[in-house]
Amino acid sequence: MPASTDIAILPDRAASIVEAGSAGGPVKCGKGSVAGSVSQRACVFCGSRVVLYPITDALHIVHGPIGCAAYTWDIRGAQSSGPQLFRNAFSTDLQELDVIYGGEQKLEHALLDLIAQHGPKAAFVYSTCIVGLIGDDVKAICKRVAAATNIPVLSVASEGFKGTKKDGYRAACEAVQHLVGTGDTSDIGPHSINLMGDFNIAGESWVIRDYFERIGIQVVATITGDGRVDAIRRCHGAKLNLVQCSGSMTHLAKSMEQDYGVPFKRVSFFGIEDMAAALYETARFFDSPELLDKARALVAEEVAKIMPQLSAWRADLNGRKAAVYVGGAFKAFSLVRALRTIGMTTAVVGTQTGDAEDYDQLREMCDPGTIIVDDSNPLELAKFCLAQDVDLFIGGVKERPIAYKLGIGFCDHNHERKECLAGFVGMLNFAREVHATVTSPVWNYVPRRAGAAHLELEEARS
Amino acid sequence: MKALPPDHAHPTPRGGTPEFPSASTNPCKLCTPLGACLAFKGIAGTVPLLHGSQGCATYIRRYLISHFREPVDIASSNFSEDSAVFGGRRNLHHALDNVGRQYHPDLVGVATTCLSETMGENMPMLLGEYHRESAADGLARPPTVHVSTPSYKGTHAEGFNDTVRALVESLALPPRAGLNAPTPPALLPGMVSPADLRHLRDFAAAWQSPVTLVPDYSETLDGGTWSDYERMPTGGTTVTDLRALGRAAVAIECGLVLAGAKATAGTHLARRCEVPLHRLGLPIGLRQTDALSDVFADLTGRPTPLRLAHERARLVDAYVDAHKYLSGRKAIVYGEEDLVASLAIFLAEIGIVPVLCAAGGRSGRLEKAILTNAPELANRIEVREGSDFADIEERITALKPDLLIGSSKGYKLARALDVPLVRCGFPVHDRLGAQRIQLLGYAGTQQLFDRIVNALLEAKQAHSEIGYSYL
Ligand code: SF4
Ligand code: SF4
């Protein structure tokens, strides 16, 4: 009996898995991971670090033992058009004595040292698990150092155990909030937006910014992709916030709506449909026929550029099946649609941080029989991929070896990707990567397919 | 705690045994539980379980995966705020249940993270309770081995070594009267690549000696593709092998810095089980590989096997062919202490001066380990412990190295300096094939040697005005 079929789903996890098209209660989600479940999720700190990392001219220092900082040293694909300070790993590297007597002095010392050395525009101080436990007063230190150095020094309450990655997003938003509203907004025009939740992975923010600027919309700040402290300080002058990537920046958008009356829209820049919708909706928001015309022209032009190639690849990919396991649900929605654009169906879809509504939406938009899962783990993912016999897995670094070991194509769609996947050009890149992996001849030699390939060959010969 | 120096603007001294270790910029080390997980991956049918918050396990998985490019399942007891306050007993028991349920392991390797260490979790008690309760309920549970791995006391390399020690201490049985059939030599190679583990087995086989490698992730972290998901990839030192270690003919423990430690897997075997212990360097280069050969020669009473003699002869021949390109060249070596020590000794042998030997660890034994074994380096090298890449960078303009040897983490520095980087150690995540990088034995040294020579030649060619195609 193949091992995958006797992989037992943990009883605690059963309610986190449903099938599209079947009846049943809401997907259990939004909770801490089940102990011993080998979750693919990280921690609160991870959530904060993901969101704030791309602020390029800030000092990011991790207060804790070395690991948390070492593991997040320049691992993401966020690009900068200028400062590179953010690509360093700074850590207080707590030692035993610090743990016993407290790490406050060390943190203060480190901050003063590093700020003097690097001259950042602001500093973010991330508290990790151990700091939460030994009770260092990080906020007080930040305040003192801010007064001494004259730059904002912001504490990020990101103790790993105090919730899930989503709570980390919130802590990051709360830190950024201290910057918002402190800059000059006098030269910001009426058609102006902030891009939120785009992290400029492989230069994606630049692509999106270019689209908006081409149709006459001013982008005040990208928060946080290719981020600059000064731009964030004045971002409250923008007339609209576009929030991409479900969840990570919604908290900031909501508080900006409250404090500064800036409304927000949730959008996605992945796939033709979603990218076009984001442009149209923004144009409509400003109630300008001219903007809308320009947006239509831009979409027509960009789609015409990529369509012939997409159709060619679509011919090869038609009917192939994919599994998707990503961080946020918005990305999952976009991927289901983008896969359809190139002729593929989604047979497994899951996220690390989706909420009940997100899963309802996935249930609606996916084909009946699609497995939908919250906070999955390697054994489940392997079981579902084999049961659905997928040809492609879309996920991150931790999912890649699961796919490859089983002889399944793979496309990286997390924060470590090196390819721009946003916008129209991103759709082309995405399709190219999917095509390259799904149609590769190497699958003929992996155990899962070797038998079938062998048979085909014999048939052809006879 | 000692007071901090009054003047904050002064950079604190680093390296050596710093009085006020400062913060770290771009670390040259990773954390202890990573080493623990790697060692546990070398034990057959074992699932590593980190007792602490979820994040550590996920980050460590991510790091091991991008080096080995294999699935690395590591469970976590996944602390919440409650467990951080009231203790992780429930989480631990629940996690062990769930790991048992899904993986059916032969052994669960439990490592405590900084968080649970600081909380002072009483692991022997918690694990003891778990096993007693399970037995009372008539449930068969896999054995557990616990290792204490607070990161504020060490590096990933120390986590690795401590885990090997914990495995041996909890599983190896001292010989008993009547049960004395000796078992194969125990070879404790330290943190080396899967390819090197395979080579060590072949090396022993050349002497017609079997060997028990502890740990052995040569297959679990470098295997073929599967037709089905393998919960615990085949391979690894078995629990039975570990139990039999107490009767090993000899124990060979690699690592010159480790050799200065009081309690190691090797010392345990020597003291508790009276297994003769040989403490050697990682067998890189002629001198250190000869030392390993000598142990096998003694043990087997055989002359050097022809195969190894040929490998050695070819290596000497290569040394001669290339000596002019290496003579007086300067290298910066960084990474795990034991690797740095053995690389430095090897470099001395081929005429390259390891002008800076930098390690993230702070054992206080690195300099001595190098100079005792390569006295010709005295006064020619700088050894820095507790180092990081900012520290290395500070010294670089003065040192003007010709090449860097160490993990991928030195890439940026090498690029800025426009000198080659020869990748080895952990992690190597910007190239494929980290699992197959060979350094050990005459054959592994040969590969390393060729890589070093060719990297220098390539750099020379790239910077040559005329360009040349013939040496
Ligand atoms: S808390 Fe400790 S164990 Fe966890 S990642 Fe940080 S350094 Fe490593
Ligand atoms: S110690 Fe805490 S904050 Fe650091 S990686 Fe682990 S869970 Fe996250």
Side-chain angles (χ1 to χ4, degrees):
Chain A
M1 182 169 57
S4 63
T5 48
D6 74 277
I7 287 171
I9 301 294
L10 294 172
D12 295 349
R13 296 230 356 102
S16 298
I17 303 158
V18 297
E19 251 180 47
S22 71
V27 174
K28 183 178 151 203
C29 57
K31 299 272 184 315
S33 305
V34 172
S37 67
V38 194
S39 165
Q40 307 290 90
R41 287 206 293 218
C43 59
V44 180
F45 164 68
C46 172
S48 299
R49 196 77 175 96
V50 165
V51 169
L52 297 176
Y53 169 77
I55 302 179
T56 58
D57 52 0
L59 180 89
H60 300 266
I61 181 163
V62 183
H63 187 31
I66 200 65
C68 323
Y71 298 129
T72 49
W73 174 15
D74 204 20
I75 59 171
R76 314 221 174 254
Q79 301 286 305
S80 168
S81 55
Q84 299 293 333
L85 183 60
F86 72 121
R87 298 181 68 182
N88 291 294
F90 299 108
S91 163
T92 46
D93 188 9
L94 292 183
Q95 299 296 306
E96 195 169 14
L97 281 184
D98 306 316
V99 174
I100 298 170
Y101 296 108
E104 293 185 357
Q105 271 184 305
K106 193 171 193 184
L107 173 62
E108 185 164 356
H109 186 203
L111 274 168
L112 290 166
D113 250 12
L114 292 170
I115 291 170
Q117 206 179 330
H118 298 282
K121 292 273 188 178
F124 291 97
V125 182
Y126 303 77
S127 304
T128 60
C129 285
I130 211 168
V131 171
L133 197 72
I134 62 180
D136 282 359
D137 190 349
V138 175
K139 271 200 180 141
I141 295 161
C142 288
K143 225 168 143 186
R144 273 212 298 278
V145 174
T149 58
N150 234 342
I151 62 163
V153 180
L154 305 162
S155 96
V156 189
S158 52
E159 292 87 349
F161 59 83
K162 290 195 172 163
T164 65
K165 193 171 167 185
K166 255 189 169 172
D167 298 287
Y169 294 157
R170 195 186 170 96
C173 289
E174 277 163 8
V176 168
Q177 228 166 293
H178 290 286
L179 293 175
V180 176
T182 59
D184 173 30
T185 60
S186 53
D187 63 339
I188 295 174
H191 296 161
S192 52
I193 58 169
N194 296 312
L195 296 176
M196 286 186 171
D198 186 284
F199 303 123
N200 202 30
I201 309 297
E204 288 172 346
S205 308
W206 298 331
V207 171
I208 306 303
R209 182 186 266 268
D210 173 63
Y211 292 156
F212 281 105
E213 285 175 355
R214 270 162 60 192
I215 65 172
I217 289 173
Q218 180 186 5
V219 179
V220 180
T222 42
I223 310 172
T224 49
D226 195 14
R228 297 290 187 285
V229 171
D230 284 342
I232 297 173
R233 280 168 172 275
R234 66 192 213 108
C235 74
H236 58 296
K239 302 297 174 282
L240 174 70
N241 280 327
L242 291 185
V243 183
Q244 124 107 5
C245 177
S246 54
S248 74
M249 291 245 113
T250 315
H251 181 70
L252 181 66
K254 280 187 181 156
S255 57
M256 279 181 70
E257 184 162 45
Q258 228 171 47
D259 299 348
Y260 302 97
V262 186
F264 72 91
K265 274 184 185 306
R266 282 175 101 182
V267 293
S268 162
F269 303 135
F270 295 114
I272 295 178
E273 288 170 60
D274 287 7
M275 186 64 236
L279 290 167
Y280 295 154
E281 271 191 51
T282 311
R284 285 199 191 101
F285 170 84
F286 289 115
D287 208 12
S288 153
E290 195 201 329
L291 282 183
L292 194 58
D293 282 348
K294 281 192 181 165
R296 288 205 176 105
L298 183 141
V299 172
E301 184 192 331
E302 293 292 328
V303 171
K305 270 195 240 166
I306 61 172
M307 229 29 199
Q309 184 60 72
L310 282 187
S311 313
W313 284 330
R314 190 190 157 102
D316 290 341
L317 296 171
N318 229 339
R320 303 288 199 121
K321 284 188 278 186
V324 173
Y325 189 74
V326 287
F330 250 51
K331 196 145 71 183
F333 301 153
S334 295
L335 283 169
V336 172
R337 283 192 277 262
L339 285 164
R340 268 188 197 140
T341 309
I342 49 173
M344 294 181 66
T345 57
T346 307
V348 182
V349 57
T351 82
Q352 291 178 20
T353 60
D355 60 29
E357 281 163 39
D358 295 332
Y359 288 118
D360 282 347
Q361 191 169 335
L362 278 175
R363 264 166 139 166
E364 230 164 74
M365 68 189 290
C366 291
D367 298 323
T370 301
I371 295 172
I372 296 169
V373 57
D374 177 66
D375 186 20
S376 198
N377 56 52
L379 292 187
E380 289 175 4
L381 290 170
K383 180 184 171 97
F384 301 149
C385 283
L386 291 175
Q388 302 282 58
D389 197 23
V390 300
D391 306 284
L392 172 72
F393 196 134
I394 300 177
V397 179
K398 294 186 300 291
E399 286 81 32
R400 185 172 52 205
I402 303 173
Y404 284 172
K405 275 287 154 184
L406 296 174
I408 296 170
F410 181 81
C411 175
D412 205 350
H413 209 307
N414 78 342
H415 286 272
E416 297 176 34
R417 63 185 179 271
K418 301 291 176 279
E419 232 1 290
C420 160
L421 300 179
F424 303 102
V425 61
M427 181 66 204
L428 191 70
N429 292 339
F430 173 69
R432 177 186 298 117
E433 196 177 336
V434 170
H435 186 266
T437 188
V438 171
T439 62
S440 168
V442 301
W443 310 124
N444 292 329
Y445 307 96
V446 301
R448 190 166 76 106
R449 294 278 185 245
H454 200 69
L455 283 181
E456 259 173 42
L457 202 66
E458 292 207 331
E459 248 168 51
R461 277 199 191 118
S462 64
Chain B
M1 189 168 75
K2 284 174 191 154
L4 291 166
D7 186 358
H8 287 309
H10 269 283
T12 34
R14 257 189 292 235
T17 31
E19 202 176 347
F20 307 109
S22 73
S24 170
T25 300
N26 300 337
C28 191
K29 62 180 175 186
L30 294 149
C31 72
T32 29
L34 178 137
C37 292
L38 177 55
F40 283 135
K41 286 300 289 180
I43 308 304
T46 296
V47 176
L49 165 68
L50 293 188
H51 188 47
S53 315
Q54 175 64 50
C56 314
T58 307
Y59 278 133
I60 287 168
R61 286 180 62 204
R62 183 221 164 271
Y63 246 71
L64 289 169
I65 285 171
S66 66
H67 179 89
F68 291 101
R69 294 174 197 274
E70 297 279 323
V72 181
D73 291 6
I74 298 169
S76 161
S77 54
N78 194 26
F79 276 30
S80 61
E81 195 141 19
D82 275 4
S83 14
V85 177
F86 301 114
R89 178 184 179 276
R90 232 191 43 166
N91 288 57
L92 179 66
H93 289 193
H94 201 50
L96 285 167
D97 280 350
N98 280 339
V99 168
R101 218 174 252 150
Q102 284 209 299
Y103 286 83
H104 314 299
D106 296 333
L107 181 76
V108 181
V110 183
T112 28
T113 68
C114 302
L115 178 64
S116 51
E117 283 286 336
T118 309
M119 289 165 54
E121 291 277 276
N122 186 341
M123 297 305 287
M125 186 189 85
L126 295 180
L127 290 169
E129 259 174 30
Y130 180 74
H131 290 299
R132 271 195 308 280
E133 283 168 20
S134 305
D137 295 343
L139 299 167
R141 297 295 189 194
T144 49
V145 169
H146 168 245
V147 60
S148 166
T149 44
S151 272
Y152 44 79
K153 280 197 214 167
T155 67
H156 60 292
E158 285 156 285
F160 182 94
N161 292 329
D162 286 350
T163 304
V164 177
R165 173 167 58 88
L167 282 161
V168 170
E169 277 179 5
S170 30
L171 295 172
L173 303 170
R176 263 177 288 151
L179 252 178
N180 275 349
T183 57
L187 181 47
L188 317 161
M191 232 181 110
V192 300
S193 76
D196 275 334
L197 290 171
R198 290 191 289 267
H199 179 65
L200 286 174
R201 208 180 358 243
D202 289 350
F203 190 94
W207 294 91
Q208 296 179 25
S209 169
V211 73
T212 304
L213 287 167
V214 189
D216 179 6
Y217 40 81
S218 60
E219 284 174 62
T220 58
L221 290 176
D222 192 17
T225 37
W226 306 331
S227 54
D228 216 326
Y229 197 77
E230 295 187 13
R231 284 171 264 213
M232 292 156 302
T234 47
T237 323
T238 64
V239 172
T240 318
D241 290 341
L242 288 168
R243 294 215 162 103
L245 284 178
R247 289 179 279 124
V250 298
I252 306 164
E253 190 167 55
C254 299
L256 294 167
V257 172
L258 184 69
K262 278 195 205 90
T264 67
T267 60
H268 176 84
L269 290 176
R271 277 182 211 139
R272 283 292 152 81
C273 313
E274 290 173 21
V275 175
L277 171 64
H278 298 272
R279 302 178 108 175
L280 311 174
L282 292 171
I284 305 174
L286 290 169
R287 285 180 282 186
Q288 297 175 93
T289 308
D290 287 349
L292 182 65
S293 283
D294 290 347
V295 173
F296 278 101
D298 269 358
L299 186 76
T300 59
R302 292 173 199 276
T304 305
L306 215 52
R307 194 196 116 190
L308 295 183
H310 283 316
E311 281 178 5
R312 191 183 190 284
R314 281 197 296 269
L315 182 59
V316 174
D317 194 55
Y319 277 14
V320 170
D321 287 343
H323 73 280
K324 272 194 208 164
Y325 310 113
L326 306 179
S327 181
R329 295 304 195 102
K330 293 185 286 184
I332 288 182
V333 189
Y334 58 87
E336 298 99 42
E337 290 173 291
D338 276 317
L339 180 61
V340 168
S342 283
L343 283 173
I345 295 160
F346 153 68
L347 290 174
E349 164 177 308
I350 59 173
I352 295 183
V353 187
V355 282
L356 177 60
C357 303
R362 307 169 192 265
S363 69
R365 301 191 295 267
L366 178 58
E367 181 156 9
K368 192 167 162 235
I370 297 172
L371 293 182
T372 320
N373 293 280
E376 66 270 36
L377 291 177
N379 302 322
R380 301 173 74 192
I381 60 168
E382 192 178 333
V383 178
R384 297 183 72 90
E385 295 190 355
S387 186
D388 57 23
F389 285 97
D391 182 44
I392 295 173
E393 203 177 336
E394 257 171 46
R395 301 289 306 125
I396 241 164
T397 358
L399 294 172
K400 294 199 192 64
D402 299 295
L403 85 157
L404 263 50
I405 304 181
S407 73
S408 288
K409 289 297 182 195
Y411 165 66
K412 261 188 216 162
L413 223 56
R415 184 179 151 119
L417 286 174
D418 195 19
V419 299
L421 165 64
V422 174
R423 286 168 178 78
C424 54
F426 185 93
V428 175
H429 47 37
D430 62 343
R431 287 287 185 277
L432 286 180
Q435 320 88 305
R436 294 177 288 275
I437 292 179
Q438 287 194 36
L439 310 173
L440 303 192
Y442 305 116
T445 304
Q446 183 75 71
Q447 302 226 4
L448 173 65
F449 181 80
D450 290 345
R451 283 168 69 212
I452 290 175
V453 177
N454 288 331
L456 287 168
L457 288 175
E458 211 175 301
K460 203 171 162 191
Q461 253 175 339
H463 295 137
S464 151
E465 273 186 17
I466 47 166
Y468 58 90
S469 53
Y470 193 84
L471 282 179

